[in-house]
Amino acid sequence: MGLTLPPQAVGMGELDEAEIRVLDGELEALCASVDDVFARPASRENLRAMVRGLLSEVPRKNMWQLAEFACHPNPDRLQGFLAKAAWDADELRDRVRDYAVAALAGQDAVLISDETGDLKKGTKSAGVQRQYSGTAGRIENAQVSVHLSYGSSRGRTLIDRELYLGRAWAGTTAEHERRCTEQDIPPERATAVATKPELARRMLERALAAGVPFSYFLADEAYGQCRALRAWLEERQVRYLLAVPKDEVVPLPDGRTRQARELYAVVPEEALERRSCADGAKGPREYDWATVQLAHTAQGLERHLLIRRSTVPNKKDKKTGRLVREVAYFLCHTDPGTTLAELVTAAGRRWMVEESFQVAKGQVGLDEHEVRKWCSWYRHATVCTLAMAFLVAVRSRLIPRQSPTPDTRP
């Protein structure tokens, strides 16, 4: 079965036959490099069948359609590959991460943590419960997972994953134990909730142990307001840029503390600088920016509050009903002497995780699994990550990337 790739996945036109043969050989080499993860030849064959199906133009990447693409009579082989075969999903995850990092590493590389939700109708799949889903923008019956994305000017991809289990799953009652046993959830995850920032920390810890090169760790408010996560990052001297809410209390150099919005209120208008943080579909994404010096860390790195304000009124004030400029806040932990321009550029890279989710769901079927158990979910997510890493590595070579509009101001 030869390799097929959707034209939109790799460029503006279809690849010719010679190029397809080259890529087919590269995919086979990638699969062969992880053959030792799988105990049986049948599992190695199923890995290749599943990855090729995920990379194909199959309209839905569920088990039936992947099986049909692989010329299997039914999905039993692929379902058994995810549920029963002898192989370690974490070992494959580490191999995929190393492959992706080798393809995308650069001085501007960042690690980004974020979550995504998949809406579900039933209640038995591991992790499914009534909870907020950013995908839906509301509370729904959903399965939520936290991911770590690696991105640079060469491309971006997901490199790690953790399934979030809320209070409906983590407990010590007989009902909790029964449900978790049915889905093979490990005891250490079945008795207490591991928060989303804690899951992000575990993935980042693995990346640090593996020596993944990156300049900043980025995340939204759900992670930025977690003081335990920030303290852990500072203790390990990890440079970060984390969104925080307006009422986040931050330490000043003189020992006082203030809310982020209170510091913005005393920033002189002339201190705000208009800069682009990245290029969007309609050109440079410009905002007004300012920084406020905060207390240094015990390790000698600097903390700053980065303030971002929209250039035009675009948000309705809840009290007055009038349109006002939206203001966002970021806590920064960085080297002494880091300029505003560098912080703005770093802040603009967090959008990469959204593109990673778009590719993962839109092209390699991350959200189209038909599995219920813990082990099967992790295996499916890991195989999707392998397919995505290959796709991104191909794109990094075949698609010429335009450099961001240079900002020469200091």
Side-chain angles (χ1 to χ4, degrees), residues 106-269:
Q107 290 186 344
D108 61 343
V110 293
L111 285 170
I112 316 161
S113 185
D114 202 359
E115 65 200 63
T116 187
D118 300 328
L119 303 186
K120 297 291 182 181
K121 293 183 178 179
T123 60
K124 293 188 176 181
S125 297
V128 167
Q129 64 179 54
R130 293 279 300 175
Q131 57 188 320
Y132 179 80
S133 166
T135 304
R138 59 185 182 273
I139 294 176
E140 286 283 358
N141 196 59
Q143 189 179 53
V144 172
S145 52
V146 181
H147 295 259
L148 191 66
S149 180
Y150 188 71
S152 72
S153 56
R154 301 173 64 183
R156 61 279 310 169
T157 188
L158 303 177
I159 62 169
D160 207 341
R161 71 290 179 263
E162 288 285 356
L163 186 60
Y164 174 69
L165 298 179
R167 291 176 181 170
W169 288 88
T172 56
T173 66
E175 176 62 15
H176 278 109
E177 183 177 351
R178 181 191 64 78
R179 293 184 72 206
C180 291
T181 299
E182 284 181 354
Q183 305 309 328
D184 295 334
I185 294 173
E188 64 272 15
R189 292 293 303 276
T191 54
V193 173
T195 66
K196 294 165 187 175
E198 168 62 18
L199 297 177
R201 184 198 63 77
R202 295 180 188 184
M203 291 186 288
L204 186 56
E205 191 169 34
R206 291 195 284 263
L208 291 173
V212 173
F214 66 100
S215 57
Y216 283 93
F217 171 64
L218 312 175
D220 66 17
E221 287 185 12
Y223 306 87
Q225 64 186 341
C226 178
R227 296 184 181 182
L229 176 61
R230 298 202 310 257
W232 184 87
L233 293 167
E234 291 175 4
E235 181 180 345
R236 286 152 183 79
Q237 296 189 303
V238 174
R239 282 68 174 163
Y240 65 67
L241 197 149
L242 304 173
V244 293
K246 62 184 179 182
D247 58 355
E248 184 71 24
V249 176
V250 296
L252 299 177
D254 61 6
R256 296 179 299 157
T257 59
R258 289 289 185 273
Q259 290 187 358
R261 60 184 166 188
E262 294 175 331
L263 295 179
Y264 166 64
V266 297
V267 171
E269 185 65 27

Side-chain angles (χ1 to χ4, degrees), residues 23-35 38 47-48 51 55 92 95-96 98-100 385-391 393:
L23 295 182
D24 188 74
E26 290 183 13
L27 179 59
E28 172 56 32
L30 173 58
C31 292
S33 72
V34 298
D35 271 348
F38 305 93
L47 172 72
R48 286 160 171 79
V51 170
L55 289 171
L92 183 61
R95 301 286 192 89
V96 173
D98 294 346
Y99 169 81
T385 302
L386 186 153
M388 183 179 176
F390 174 77
L391 189 61

